[in-house]
């Protein structure tokens, strides 16, 4: 018998049969409906599932919230044997297992938090063939005794979740993921499916090489996230105050605020609490137990705001996050899409709002300069940072810019980001830019931004004879101080000016010489945004289609709230997050449809058989009370 322990599978013959046979996919669809309560597959799910059902390896790249987990969960249920899922984080496993159990699936996890009794029971279920899905960590799986035991078990598939962890080019690199390449020879007859949301070609190449998926098909979904409403604005004034304003304009919603340092997360969380928002800070400097507690509190809350560093990320599968605010900008467009992508996973509208400034750009560039890596790697990183700021400070659709960055072609504007809504107008500021660049040149990189602006306006305090004698002194009367500051900032974003950190008192000098020359020759135009306040991220406006969190008509609001209250008490009793019982969207559908029978309830999205059996009566009763 093959070392995979598999009496099943796969010669070429059976492959051909599987390919021609539509039945497995029908079985998959049936499970999608009955167990998970969804009416049809989304995006590339059906293609990926068909591939795995045919016993072949694959790599699937789907955006966050794209429904990656069903791609391995369903084949695990259709194919005989145990579905093995490798996952990098306990929180992620816990969440998925809880949700599966709610849907009536025999799923369990084996990780360092599981006690001996439960472990023994799980192994009993594995070996008796009762278990359908087992979640393990990479280091847990690769222990020799574990591998030995699993090799005696028929496996339906091996899924490697968050597969980008294998690559140094991806985020969240996890060295222990590299060991997973050995699964190819250890389980040669078991289909392996790698899934991730990190798309770039380089990471994909690494995944294929490291996980031995050469020659397997790649399924790459569109990176469109139509539910995300994007906006960005330059930092002005007090960022903390701005964040409090943005959050308090979105009451009773769950959100994530990303900040660049541990101190800032603490400060922002406190400021939000002072404003009456239930906010928690989260960063790697906190005790592990406190972090776990806060994560749990956030996941289980109906509305809470997590103020976090990027230590908070992978494994945060809360589907009803309604906004992600970057109080400091992300590291690159990949990180942006992943972090903003944590909003709106349930498919309902959600916002991504980014605050950024030229100081953030300078800081990012300086950090790259200080890194102990190859010059070519540095250049690649600098390019990525520049591309991020070009998107943030640009003037055409943000969603389209991101998708093009990921290599999508023929992308249409999203029609709902701040830039699509046409609130940003630009005017030609090439002449002003020439003045600012000349001034920076004449001042010989000896002063900061404020002084450059004063110089252009001829307003420098206690000006020296030398400075007052320069030809650029006071030549900038056509713009206000605010406009000059804006333009200076933009020139920094465009790399025409450069800031020298100078121990926290940055000095402005000329940037890329070739580009500066092009501006002077008039070959490169500088378009400037018309401020003020036009591009500001606003609170969600009522009445605009798609802007409300979950669509509940005013007449159904009371029933919706009653259903949420019932769900909250049920979740509390079971110690699970509310959304594993029913998503907001399902409750909204129930509130609108007001089902009078189990059959009517079963027809709604998100109501599978197990949930109908468990909660059907209770839900019908809540609805009945409103009859
Ligand atoms: P991710 O790709 O981020 O891991 P998940 O697998 O967690 O995404 O799925 C995101 C959400 O989409 C989940 O709430 C899931 O229930 C829902 N979902 C997945 N597939 C479908 C589908 N075919 N129809 C409706 N909802 C789906
Ligand atoms: Zn747009």
């Amino acid at each position: 018998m093959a070392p995979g322990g598999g009496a099943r599978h796969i010669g070429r013959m059976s492959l051909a049969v599987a390919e021609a046979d539509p039945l497995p996919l029908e079985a998959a669809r049936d499970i999608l409906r009955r167990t998970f309560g969804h009416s049809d597959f989304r995006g590339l799910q059906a293609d990926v599932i068909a591939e795995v059902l045919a016993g072949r390896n694959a790599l699937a790249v789907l955006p966050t919230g794209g429904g990656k987990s069903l791609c391995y969960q369903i084949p695990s249920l259709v194919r005989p044997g145990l579905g093995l899922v490798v996952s990098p984080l306990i929180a992620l496993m816990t969440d998925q297992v809880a949700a599966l159990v709610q849907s009536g699936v025999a799923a369990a996890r084996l990780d360092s938090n599981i006690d001996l009794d439960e472990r023994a029971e799980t192994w009993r279920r594995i070996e008796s063939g009762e278990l359908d899905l087992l979640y393990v960590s990479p280091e847990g799986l690769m222990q020799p005794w574990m591998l030995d035991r699993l090799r005696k078990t028929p496996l339906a598939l091996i899924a490697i979740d968050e597969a980008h962890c294998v690559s140094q080019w991806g985020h969240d690199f996890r060295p222990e993921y590299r060991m997973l390449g050995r699964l190819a020879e250890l389980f040669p007859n078991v289909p392996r499916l790698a899934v991730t949301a990190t798309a770039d070609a380089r990471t994909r190449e690494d995944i294929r090489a490291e996980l031995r998926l050469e020659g397997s098909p790649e399924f790459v979904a569109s990176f469109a996230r139509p539910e995300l409403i994007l906006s960005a604005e330059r930092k002005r004034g007090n960022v903390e105050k701005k964040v409090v304003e943005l959050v308090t304009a979105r009451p009773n919603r769950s959100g994530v605020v990303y900040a660049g340092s541990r101190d800032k997360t603490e400060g922002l969380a406190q400021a939000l609490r002072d404003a009456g928002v239930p906010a928690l800070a989260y960063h790697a400097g906190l005790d592990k137990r406190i972090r776990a507690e806060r994560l749990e509190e956030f996941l289980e809350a109906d509305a809470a705001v997590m103020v976090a560093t990027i230590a908070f990320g992978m494994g945060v599968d809360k589907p009803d996050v309604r906004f992600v605010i970057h109080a400091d900008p992300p590291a690159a467009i990949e990180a942006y899409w992943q972090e903003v992508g944590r909003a709106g996973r349930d498919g309902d509208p959600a916002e991504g709002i980014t605050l950024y400034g030229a100081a953030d750009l300078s800081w990012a560039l300086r950090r790259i300069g200080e890194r102990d890596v190859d010059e070519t790697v540095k250049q690649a990183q600098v390019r990525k940072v520049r591309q991020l700021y070009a998107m943030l400070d640009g003037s055409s659709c943000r969603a389209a810019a991101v998708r093009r960055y990921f290599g999508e072609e023929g992308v249409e504007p999203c029609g709902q980001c701040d830039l699509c809504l046409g609130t940003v107008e630009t005017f030609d500021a090439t002449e002003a830019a020439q003045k600012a660049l000349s001034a920076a040149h004449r001042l010989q990189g000896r002063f900061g931004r404020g002084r450059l602006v004063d110089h252009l306006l001829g307003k420098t305090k206690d000006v020296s004879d030398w400075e007052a004698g320069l030809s650029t002194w006071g030549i900038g009367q056509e713009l206000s101080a605010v406009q000059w500051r804006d333009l200076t900032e933009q020139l920094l974003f465009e790399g025409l000016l450069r800031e020298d950190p100078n121990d926290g008192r940055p000095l402005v000098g000329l940037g890329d010489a070739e580009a500066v020359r092009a501006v002077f020759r008039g070959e490169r135009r500088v378009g400037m945004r018309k401020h003020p306040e036009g591009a500001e991220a606003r609170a969600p406006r009522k009445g605009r289609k798609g802007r409300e969190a979950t669509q509940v008509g005013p007449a159904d609001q009371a029933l919706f709230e009653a259903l949420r209250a019932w769900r909250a008490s049920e979740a509390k009793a079971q110690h699970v997050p509310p959304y594993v019982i029913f998503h907001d969207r399902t409750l909204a559908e129930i509130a609108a449809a007001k089902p009078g029978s189990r059959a009517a309830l079963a027809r709604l999205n998100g109501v599978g058989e197990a949930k109908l059996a468990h909660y059907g009566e209770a839900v019908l009763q809540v609805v009945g009370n409103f009859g």
Side-chain angles (χ1 to χ4, degrees), residues 35 84 166 172 298 373 502 534 565 610 613 616:
T35 305
L84 193 61
V166 86
D172 322 304
F298 176 69
V373 292
N502 185 37

Side-chain angles (χ1 to χ4, degrees), residues 32 38-42 45 62-70 72-73 96 161-162 317 319 345-346 583 585 605:
L32 177 75
H38 299 314
S39 50
D40 210 344
F41 288 118
R42 260 193 339 211
Q45 280 176 334
L62 274 71
T64 308
K68 285 185 288 296
S69 40
L70 289 184
Y72 51 79
Q73 289 168 350
Q96 287 210 7
D161 204 356
E162 311 285 353
D317 268 350
R345 293 171 69 103
D346 53 10
H583 278 188
R585 179 192 282 198
N605 241 316

Side-chain angles (χ1 to χ4, degrees), residues 131-318:
L131 204 66
D132 282 318
L133 270 148
L134 178 69
Y135 284 71
V136 289
S137 67
E139 57 279 12
L141 170 62
M142 297 312 283
Q143 297 172 82
W145 65 266
M146 178 85 147
L147 289 169
D148 275 351
R149 225 164 155 174
L150 285 173
R151 277 163 51 137
K152 300 188 192 95
T153 308
L155 295 184
L157 61 86
I158 301 175
I160 298 164
D161 204 356
E162 311 285 353
H164 60 275
C165 289
V166 86
S167 166
Q168 261 170 319
W169 294 98
H171 306 275
D172 322 304
F173 172 58
R174 296 272 298 255
E176 57 285 12
Y177 257 62
R178 296 246 156 122
M179 300 185 293
L180 299 175
R182 284 186 53 220
L183 295 172
E185 62 220 46
L186 290 167
F187 300 93
N189 297 331
V190 179
R192 287 171 300 125
L193 173 66
V195 296
T196 176
T198 297
D200 69 80
R202 193 143 202 181
T203 306
R204 270 178 356 233
E205 229 170 80
D206 269 8
I207 293 174
R208 290 161 150 292
E210 294 286 340
L211 297 182
R212 310 266 308 275
L213 292 170
E214 302 95 341
S216 311
E218 219 171 72
F219 297 88
V220 183
S222 161
F223 271 62
R225 288 286 308 274
E227 65 280 18
L228 293 181
I229 298 152
L230 306 173
S231 62
E233 61 181 287
R234 292 190 196 171
K235 292 179 181 176
R236 284 153 191 268
N238 185 329
V239 170
E240 192 170 291
K241 211 171 126 221
K242 178 77 200 180
V243 171
V244 170
E245 265 170 45
L246 289 169
V247 173
T248 49
R250 292 158 177 79
N252 305 318
R253 308 273 173 90
S254 288
V256 178
V257 176
Y258 280 108
S261 71
R262 296 173 183 184
D263 283 356
K264 276 197 203 169
T265 63
E266 301 278 0
L268 274 168
Q270 188 58 51
L272 285 167
R273 281 195 297 271
D274 292 345
V277 177
L280 301 159
Y282 188 103
H283 56 75
L286 290 169
D287 183 72
K288 208 171 148 191
R289 219 191 54 246
I290 294 184
R291 265 187 292 163
E293 273 169 24
R294 291 190 182 170
L295 177 61
E296 190 173 324
E297 195 175 331
F298 176 69
L299 292 176
E300 297 192 357
D302 257 349
V305 175
M306 193 65 117
V307 188
T309 61
I310 52 169
F312 180 74
M314 213 162 44
V316 182
D317 268 350
K318 189 175 171 64

Side-chain angles (χ1 to χ4, degrees), residues 201-499:
R202 193 143 202 181
T203 306
R204 270 178 356 233
E205 229 170 80
D206 269 8
I207 293 174
R208 290 161 150 292
E210 294 286 340
L211 297 182
R212 310 266 308 275
L213 292 170
E214 302 95 341
S216 311
E218 219 171 72
F219 297 88
V220 183
S222 161
F223 271 62
R225 288 286 308 274
E227 65 280 18
L228 293 181
I229 298 152
L230 306 173
S231 62
E233 61 181 287
R234 292 190 196 171
K235 292 179 181 176
R236 284 153 191 268
N238 185 329
V239 170
E240 192 170 291
K241 211 171 126 221
K242 178 77 200 180
V243 171
V244 170
E245 265 170 45
L246 289 169
V247 173
T248 49
R250 292 158 177 79
N252 305 318
R253 308 273 173 90
S254 288
V256 178
V257 176
Y258 280 108
S261 71
R262 296 173 183 184
D263 283 356
K264 276 197 203 169
T265 63
E266 301 278 0
L268 274 168
Q270 188 58 51
L272 285 167
R273 281 195 297 271
D274 292 345
V277 177
L280 301 159
Y282 188 103
H283 56 75
L286 290 169
D287 183 72
K288 208 171 148 191
R289 219 191 54 246
I290 294 184
R291 265 187 292 163
E293 273 169 24
R294 291 190 182 170
L295 177 61
E296 190 173 324
E297 195 175 331
F298 176 69
L299 292 176
E300 297 192 357
D302 257 349
V305 175
M306 193 65 117
V307 188
T309 61
I310 52 169
F312 180 74
M314 213 162 44
V316 182
D317 268 350
K318 189 175 171 64
D320 56 354
V321 171
R322 295 270 72 86
F323 59 83
V324 168
I325 296 173
H326 279 97
D328 292 309
I333 290 183
E334 284 92 340
Y336 174 70
W337 213 227
Q338 210 146 47
E339 285 156 21
V340 169
R342 299 202 169 103
R345 293 171 69 103
D346 53 10
D348 284 343
E351 292 175 279
I353 303 166
T354 309
L355 305 178
Y356 64 97
D360 299 311
L361 169 63
S362 304
W363 184 79
L365 293 175
R366 193 173 83 201
R367 284 239 327 216
I368 293 172
E370 288 165 357
R371 251 167 234 163
D372 186 21
V373 292
D374 265 18
E375 203 45 46
T376 49
V377 175
K378 280 189 188 179
Q379 278 166 12
Q381 290 175 342
V382 166
R383 212 163 35 243
K384 281 183 176 232
V385 168
R386 291 237 172 258
Q387 283 169 311
L388 169 75
Y389 282 84
M391 180 280 291
L392 290 176
D393 207 55
S395 49
S396 64
C397 179
R398 298 182 192 285
V402 170
R403 291 171 60 193
R404 273 197 296 272
Y405 176 86
F406 285 127
E408 271 187 63
E409 286 166 16
V411 177
E412 298 284 331
C414 75
Q416 59 184 4
C417 71
D418 54 346
L419 300 175
C420 279
L421 291 176
T423 46
V424 175
E425 283 179 72
T426 59
F427 64 96
D428 186 288
T430 309
E431 205 174 305
Q434 288 167 344
K435 289 182 180 175
L437 294 173
S438 312
H441 177 61
R442 303 247 182 253
L443 292 172
Q444 301 167 3
R446 289 160 55 181
F447 304 104
R449 273 190 250 170
R451 179 72 172 265
L452 177 67
V453 171
D454 287 347
H455 175 87
L456 285 159
L457 292 167
K459 285 189 177 157
T460 317
K461 254 201 218 139
D462 305 323
V463 66
S464 68
D465 290 347
W466 169 75
E467 185 176 338
L470 297 175
S471 61
T472 46
W473 165 256
I475 55 163
Q477 306 303 326
E478 72 272 36
L479 297 184
S480 67
V482 171
Q483 287 174 311
W484 278 119
R485 274 201 291 278
D486 259 10
L487 181 60
T488 313
E489 207 167 18
Q490 178 171 335
L491 295 174
L492 285 162
F493 289 130
E494 295 190 19
L496 291 161
L497 287 177
R498 202 174 49 79
E499 252 176 354

